[in-house]
């Protein structure tokens, strides 16, 4: 039996317990809990938002607390096609960041876990010109990925994994502010994703660092179905592996984990960021058993430059999708991680 199989056998399924597992897990070295959503204001404007809480643990030593808590925050103004971002990175020193069973916080960014199905999130940029304050209420239908929460990211190297669940269709109300202009949110829907991995960081490859890259998308269709598609590459030279989860309106969950079950192909020309010069494929054709999604961004400029916090640059923004086979539409969020600025002719 090879080393990979031995390590896989040592992995355990995770028995989720909510609301406790909505918060961070001190035994793990890498974790993120994030929210994305679409909201409508009383003025008739449409917005998307991202609020991502990260936790990075660098040592298991008891004599010092080697944890960092970055946060990424963005609001996409769909009406004006403007993307606004803010970020921070704090430690527990001076109570600037931390977590309990009922809260996660870092600087001016807070997640309050009110119950299994209810959250309060708030965010305020350092300049105070970008903020949100939202109440999120779920329908009780948490979506667990993989096998009992164990989400393998690569069939070639199953030791790259996370414990992973989502909470789609969170009813969303509250306020947000862009450039100091306050908007009251009268309707909205949010999606929560929560993943953690690397209980012993020295024994498995890192999911989020090194040469790994991925294309991830969540979609909620207009018939009550929820989808996640994940296209993962361990390195630049490896072909992508594609996984998916689908839950229909009756609650039946289907996992697509075998090669060839899903085709996820970038189509059309790539968009080049004027700020970072990175090129991203923003239009996708996703074929899944029984249907296909044609995915397009609501607008192109939704890049997040996180070099001041997590040292990553990625594209994450609101998208729309059409399935001409099943005659339905969907909205969601697309994340593209691992795309790099091409070298100039004088660089080696």
């Amino acid at each position: 039996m090879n080393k990979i199989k031995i390590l896989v056998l040592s992995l355990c399924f995770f028995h989720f317990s909510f609301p406790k597992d909505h918060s961070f897990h001190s035994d793990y070295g890498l974790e993120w809990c994030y929210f994305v959503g679409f909201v409508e204001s009383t003025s008739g404007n449409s917005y998307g938002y991202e609020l991502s809480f990260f936790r990075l643990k660098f040592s298991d030593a008891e004599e010092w607390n080697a944890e960092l808590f970055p946060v990424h925050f963005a609001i996409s103004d769909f009406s004006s096609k403007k993307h606004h971002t803010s970020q921070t990175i704090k430690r527990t020193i001076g109570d600037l960041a931390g977590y309990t069973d009922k809260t996660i916080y870092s600087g001016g960014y807070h997640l309050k876990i009110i119950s299994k199905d209810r959250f309060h999130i708030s965010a305020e940029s350092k300049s105070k010109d970008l903020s949100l304050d939202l109440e999120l209420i779920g329908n009780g239908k948490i979506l667990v990925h993989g096998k009992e929460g164990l989400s393998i990211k690569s069939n070639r190297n199953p030791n790259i994994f996370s414990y992973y669940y989502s909470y789609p269709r969170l009813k969303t109300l509250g306020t947000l502010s862009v450039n100091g202009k306050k908007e009251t949110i009268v309707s909205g829907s949010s999606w929560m994703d929560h993943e953690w991995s690397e209980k012993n960081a020295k024994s498995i490859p890192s999911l989020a660092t090194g040469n790994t890259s991925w294309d991830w998308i969540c979609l909620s269709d207009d018939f009550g179905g929820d989808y996640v598609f994940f296209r993962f590459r361990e390195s630049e030279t490896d072909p992508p592996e594609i996984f998916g989860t689908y839950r229909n309106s009756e609650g039946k969950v289907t996992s697509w984990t075998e090669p060839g079950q899903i085709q996820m192909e970038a189509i059309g020309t790539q968009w080049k960021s004027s700020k970072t010069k990175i090129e991203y494929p923003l239009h996708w054709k996703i074929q899944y058993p029984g249907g296909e999604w044609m995915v397009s961004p609501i607008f192109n400029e939704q890049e997040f430059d996180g070099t001041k916090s997590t040292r990553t640059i990625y594209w994450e923004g609101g998208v729309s999708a059409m399935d001409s086979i099943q005659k339905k539409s969907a909205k969601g969020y697309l994340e593209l991680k691992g795309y790099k600025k091409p070298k100039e002719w004088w660089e080696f």
Side-chain angles (χ1 to χ4, degrees):
M1 185 177 293
N2 61 40
K3 292 182 179 179
I4 289 180
K5 290 183 178 179
I6 291 173
L7 277 172
V8 171
L9 290 175
S10 70
L11 300 179
C12 298
F13 302 132
F14 198 94
H15 299 286
F16 295 108
S17 177
F18 300 110
K20 182 179 179 180
D21 282 322
H22 287 321
S23 189
F24 282 156
H25 300 78
S26 60
D27 290 342
Y28 293 83
L30 174 67
E31 187 163 13
W32 57 86
C33 177
Y34 62 89
F35 299 83
V36 293
F38 290 77
V39 296
E40 302 282 339
S41 72
T42 52
S43 65
N45 290 330
S46 300
Y47 299 92
Y49 79 89
E50 169 202 354
L51 182 58
S52 302
F53 297 88
F54 302 91
R55 176 181 166 272
L56 305 174
K57 183 179 181 182
F58 295 102
S59 172
D60 291 324
E62 295 182 359
E63 62 270 18
W64 69 298
N65 190 335
E67 291 179 307
L68 289 176
F69 299 91
V71 176
H72 290 178
F73 172 41
I75 293 179
S76 295
D77 187 337
F78 295 143
S79 302
S80 65
K81 297 184 179 180
K82 299 291 184 181
H83 188 60
H84 309 268
T85 68
S86 181
Q87 61 192 293
T88 194
I89 182 167
K90 302 292 185 184
R91 292 180 60 181
T92 55
I93 297 172
D95 198 31
L96 294 176
Y99 58 98
T100 67
D101 285 351
K102 296 182 178 180
T103 186
I104 296 171
Y105 62 99
S106 182
Y109 307 89
H110 297 80
L111 161 62
K112 292 182 181 179
I113 301 161
I114 300 171
S115 69
K116 167 181 170 288
D117 303 308
R118 190 167 182 173
F119 311 91
H120 179 267
I121 57 174
S122 60
E124 185 173 71
S125 65
K126 189 175 181 180
S127 62
K128 301 186 183 300
D129 62 348
L130 190 70
S131 66
L132 62 74
D133 191 293
L134 299 176
E135 294 283 345
L136 310 177
I137 301 173
N139 56 13
K141 299 179 181 179
I142 292 174
L143 175 59
V144 175
H145 297 280
K147 188 173 183 180
E148 297 181 40
L150 179 62
S151 175
I152 302 297
K153 307 304 182 185
S154 170
N155 286 323
R156 290 190 294 267
N157 187 355
N159 304 294
I160 301 179
F161 74 98
S162 71
Y163 299 111
Y164 181 19
Y165 71 89
S166 301
Y167 206 148
R169 300 179 186 269
L170 294 163
K171 182 181 178 181
T172 304
L173 297 172
T175 61
L176 61 79
S177 180
V178 177
N179 291 330
K181 179 184 177 182
K182 189 174 182 179
E183 294 265 43
T184 299
I185 304 305
V186 292
S187 66
S189 180
S190 296
W191 181 296
M192 174 191 187
D193 251 30
H194 193 175
E195 298 188 63
W196 57 96
S197 186
E198 301 188 21
K199 190 166 187 177
N200 181 356
K202 294 181 180 180
S203 67
I204 61 175
S206 173
L207 172 61
T209 61
N211 293 319
T212 61
S213 59
W214 60 71
D215 311 305
W216 168 93
I217 187 171
C218 67
L219 293 171
S220 292
D221 70 30
D222 45 15
F223 288 93
D226 299 309
Y227 305 75
V228 171
F229 300 104
F230 190 80
R231 184 175 181 262
F232 179 79
R233 298 171 296 282
E234 186 175 356
S235 72
E236 293 180 356
T237 58
D238 289 324
E241 298 181 83
I242 307 172
F243 303 87
T245 304
Y246 167 55
R247 182 175 64 191
N248 67 15
S249 58
E250 286 76 39
K252 180 182 178 181
V253 177
T254 301
S255 295
W256 296 306
T257 60
E258 298 300 321
Q261 287 184 301
I262 302 171
Q263 301 294 323
M264 187 171 174
E265 176 188 4
I267 56 177
T269 58
Q270 294 191 336
W271 171 76
K272 184 176 182 179
S273 167
S274 61
K275 297 178 181 178
T276 65
K277 311 304 179 186
I278 297 174
E279 294 184 350
Y280 299 94
L282 301 185
H283 298 264
W284 292 83
K285 179 180 180 179
I286 303 172
Q287 294 176 297
Y288 62 95
E292 71 176 29
W293 290 113
M294 303 297 291
V295 179
S296 297
I298 295 179
F299 67 96
N300 292 342
E301 178 52 76
Q302 297 183 77
E303 181 185 47
F304 200 107
D305 185 348
T307 53
K308 294 181 179 179
S309 53
T310 59
R311 298 183 182 179
T312 55
I313 303 174
Y314 59 98
W315 194 97
E316 180 151 8
V319 296
S320 60
M322 293 294 298
D323 184 335
S324 58
I325 296 175
Q326 296 194 9
K327 308 297 183 184
K328 58 187 178 182
S329 61
K331 292 193 299 185
Y333 256 69
L334 170 69
E335 179 179 280
L336 307 172
K337 183 260 183 187
Y339 291 84
K340 298 179 181 180
K341 176 183 176 182
K343 291 184 177 181
E344 302 292 351
W345 65 269
W346 62 84
E347 295 180 301
F348 297 96

